[in-house]
Amino acid sequence: MDMGIRGRRAVVCAASRGLGLGCARALAGEGVSLVLNARGAEALEAAAEAIRSDFGVEVASVAADVTTPEGRAAVLEAGAGADILVNNAGGPPPGMWQDWSREDFIAALDANMLAPIAMIQGLVPAMMARGWGRVVNITSMSVKAPIATLGLSNTARAGLTGFVAGTARQVAPAGVTINNLLPGIHATARADALDAAAAQAAGITAKEARQRREATVPARRYGTTQEFGAACAFLCSQHAGFIVGQNILLDGGQINATL
Ligand code: NAD
C-alpha cells in the first residue's frame, strides 16, 4: 500500500539506532526526507548515510540532546516546516520507588514528557497552518500496565499520555493527528542491556535471559524495529487521518487485557 506521504518531511528524534531508527527507515522507504537526531554524532551520521544510500532521500543529521533546551532548539531549527514529528528519547533507569529523588523525577519528566511536549509545541503550529501533520510519540507498554522497577518511566509517560489525550482533540480540526505507539519488548540495544542485567542477577547467560523473557510474550519473540517502523509509517500516512489521540500497543500480546 502506498502511504501517500512521498515528498513529505519528518523530524525523527533519538534515531541513530533502535526504535527511532526503525521509524526513520520506514518513513524514508515511503519517500519522506528526514531530519535525524541523536546525541552521538558518529553513529548518527552513519545511520543517516545508510538511509541516504538505501532510500535516496535527503537526510539532515542534528547531533544534540533532545531533552535540553539547546538540543531541541537545534533540532527545531533544522526541522522547521516539517510535516511529521516522531518523538523519542532514552528511557529512565530502573530502581526502587523509595530511592528516587526530586532530581531523578525531573530528569525523567524532562526526557519522556516535557521534551516531546516542547517538540509538539515547536512544530505543530506550522502543521496546523498548512492543514496537515502527523505526530507519533514513542512511549511504552508501561503506560497500559506498570512495570514497577521503571517507576520513573511509568510516571513521566503517564504525563505525556494525558497531554496527548487532550491536545490531539484540539489540533485534529486542523488536519493534524497525534498518537502514541507503545512498544513492548523489542530487539534493540536497550533490550540487550536489560537481558544482560537480568542474566547477571540470575547467574545465567544473556541468551537464557532472553529466552525467559520471550516465553512471557504470547508471540514468543521480541518485536523487530522494522515492524515497529512500519506501524509508525502507517500512523504518519495519508490513510491514518481518522486515528486521533490513540495509544497503540505493539507488544506481541504481552499486556493481558481485553481492551
Ligand atoms: P536504544 O537504546 O536502542 O536507542 C535509543 C536511541 O535514542 C539512540 O539512538 C540514542 O542515541 C538516542 N537517544 C537517547 N537519549 C537521547 C537524547 N536525550 N537525545 C537524543 N537522542 C537520544 O533504545 P530503544 O530500545 O530504541 O528505545 C527507545 C524508547 O522506547 C526508549 O524511551 C525506551 O525506554 C522505550 N521502550 C523500548 C522498549 C524496547 O523493548 N526496546 C520497550 C518499551 C519502551
Side-chain angles (χ1 to χ4, degrees):
M1 179 166 50
D2 179 354
M3 294 294 154
I5 47 178
R6 189 161 299 281
R8 300 242 180 226
R9 225 165 129 249
V11 172
V12 188
C13 301
S16 64
R17 66 179 194 200
L19 302 179
L21 179 58
C23 295
R25 290 185 62 85
L27 288 169
E30 295 302 322
V32 174
S33 64
L34 300 173
V35 173
L36 208 62
N37 155 257
R39 282 174 303 190
E42 207 175 312
L44 177 63
E45 189 41 43
E49 190 44 43
I51 293 174
R52 287 182 202 112
S53 102
D54 290 349
F55 303 108
V57 296
E58 270 180 40
V59 185
S61 58
V62 182
D65 183 340
V66 78
T67 68
T68 66
E70 311 76 51
R72 276 194 299 280
V75 180
L76 286 170
E77 191 184 343
D83 308 291
I84 294 168
L85 166 64
V86 180
N87 271 317
N88 186 30
M96 285 293 284
W97 60 271
Q98 64 271 49
D99 298 332
W100 291 317
S101 66
R102 175 180 165 78
E103 287 65 39
D104 294 328
F105 279 104
I106 300 281
L109 293 172
D110 268 339
N112 299 119
M113 176 184 163
L114 299 174
I117 290 175
M119 291 300 296
I120 289 169
Q121 289 171 327
L123 292 176
V124 165
M127 295 179 194
M128 292 172 75
R130 290 193 305 276
W132 196 95
R134 299 283 185 263
V135 179
V136 173
N137 302 298
I138 300 178
T139 66
S140 172
M141 69 176 173
S142 69
V143 169
K144 289 264 187 190
I147 302 170
T149 53
L150 293 178
L152 292 171
S153 168
N154 300 338
T155 305
R157 296 190 200 278
L160 175 63
T161 305
F163 173 82
V164 167
T167 307
R169 272 89 185 172
Q170 290 179 304
V171 304
V176 178
T177 70
I178 310 180
N179 292 288
N180 302 319
L181 271 182
L182 283 52
I185 307 171
H186 281 72
T188 69
R190 181 171 167 87
D192 290 344
L194 292 173
D195 287 343
Q200 201 174 12
I204 56 176
T205 65
K207 191 175 171 201
E208 286 166 330
R210 176 168 176 154
Q211 284 167 344
R212 283 187 191 180
R213 279 219 293 168
E214 282 175 335
T216 68
V217 183
R220 296 288 184 267
R221 63 177 178 85
Y222 290 180
T224 69
T225 58
Q226 290 84 355
E227 289 170 314
F228 193 87
C232 177
F234 180 75
L235 280 182
C236 295
S237 76
Q238 192 59 35
H239 312 296
F242 210 51
I243 303 178
V244 170
Q246 297 302 299
N247 291 280
I248 296 168
L249 263 178
L250 296 177
D251 72 340
Q254 193 168 14
I255 302 287
N256 190 31
T258 304
L259 289 175

